[in-house]
Amino acid sequence: MSLSRTIGLIVVGVLLVTLTGMLGALLVRSEQAAKVAGVNDAEALASVLHATLVFSMAEGVTSVAPLVKGLEGGDVAELRVIPTSAVRDGGETGMDERERQVLASGQIERVTERFGGIPVVRVVSPLLAEASCVECHDARVGQPLAVVSVASRWRPRKPALPASAGWPRSSGSPASALRSRR
């Protein structure tokens, strides 16, 4: 084998390894971006739901079920508003372990998990009593009245590689694609 052919093969090999590494990094970053977007969407919905619940309750609404039902669907895999015992006796018995942790800590939790076999980003947050809440509920300002759990679907992004600039789409190896250009 000639020296120029050997050098050419080494250059092609280095390029293939470099491009494969770059594509791998792109795919990882794309998946991370999808997770961040899922968390942001779930947090935004939880925030809107909190504000809506406080306003609705202040206006005399006693059931949140129609609101929750109206917000479910689309990318929302599950939406739960679980009252504490300050709102309904025994309300906390319907909470899962993560919801009980959030109730105890008073801190928001964000996790990725599977729900019904699909990947979701779940945001679990406490709904804390405001001044308008304590007029009807046996609670003090800042005490958790409920836990809100939003599980939002996220889909890993799959970058499309267009068949442009004369590069063929190939199910074979990159080397076979290069050979087909000759």
Side-chain angles (χ1 to χ4, degrees):
M1 184 183 309
S2 71
L3 181 61
S4 63
R5 184 164 177 87
T6 303
I7 292 172
L9 288 175
I10 290 171
V11 168
V12 167
V14 168
L15 285 174
L16 285 175
V17 169
T18 303
L19 291 174
T20 301
M22 291 173 66
L23 180 59
L26 176 66
L27 292 174
V28 167
R29 288 184 57 99
S30 178
E31 186 168 322
Q32 290 170 344
K35 284 183 183 179
V36 168
V39 168
N40 290 343
D41 290 348
E43 285 181 345
L45 179 57
S47 177
V48 168
L49 184 58
H50 282 181
T52 303
L53 288 172
V54 170
F55 176 78
S56 298
M57 292 290 162
E59 294 296 313
V61 173
T62 57
S63 175
V64 300
L67 174 62
V68 169
K69 186 170 178 66
L71 291 173
E72 288 179 326
D75 282 341
V76 178
E78 182 184 46
L79 178 59
R80 293 171 29 107
V81 178
I82 308 99
T84 66
S85 57
V87 174
R88 184 179 308 139
D89 287 335
E92 292 148 15
T93 59
M95 293 183 185
D96 65 22
E97 184 60 33
R98 188 164 316 279
E99 292 160 344
R100 284 191 290 277
Q101 288 172 353
V102 167
L103 179 62
S105 72
Q107 300 296 312
I108 295 173
E109 284 200 29
R110 300 158 188 88
V111 295
T112 56
E113 57 190 22
R114 295 191 79 73
F115 177 80
I118 58 169
V120 297
V121 175
R122 184 174 179 204
V123 175
V124 183
S125 57
L127 178 62
L128 305 177
E130 296 182 6
S132 63
C133 303
V134 298
E135 294 173 14
C136 299
H137 297 292
D138 184 23
R140 63 187 182 287
V141 173
Q143 179 181 350
L145 292 179
V147 172
V148 175
S149 176
V150 178
S152 180
R153 292 176 181 85
W154 68 274
R155 293 170 187 84
R157 296 184 176 139
K158 297 177 185 166
L161 299 175
S164 61
W167 287 95
R169 290 191 184 261
S170 170
S171 60
S173 69
S176 67
L178 286 173
R179 281 192 296 268
S180 68
R181 287 187 54 98
R182 290 186 192 152

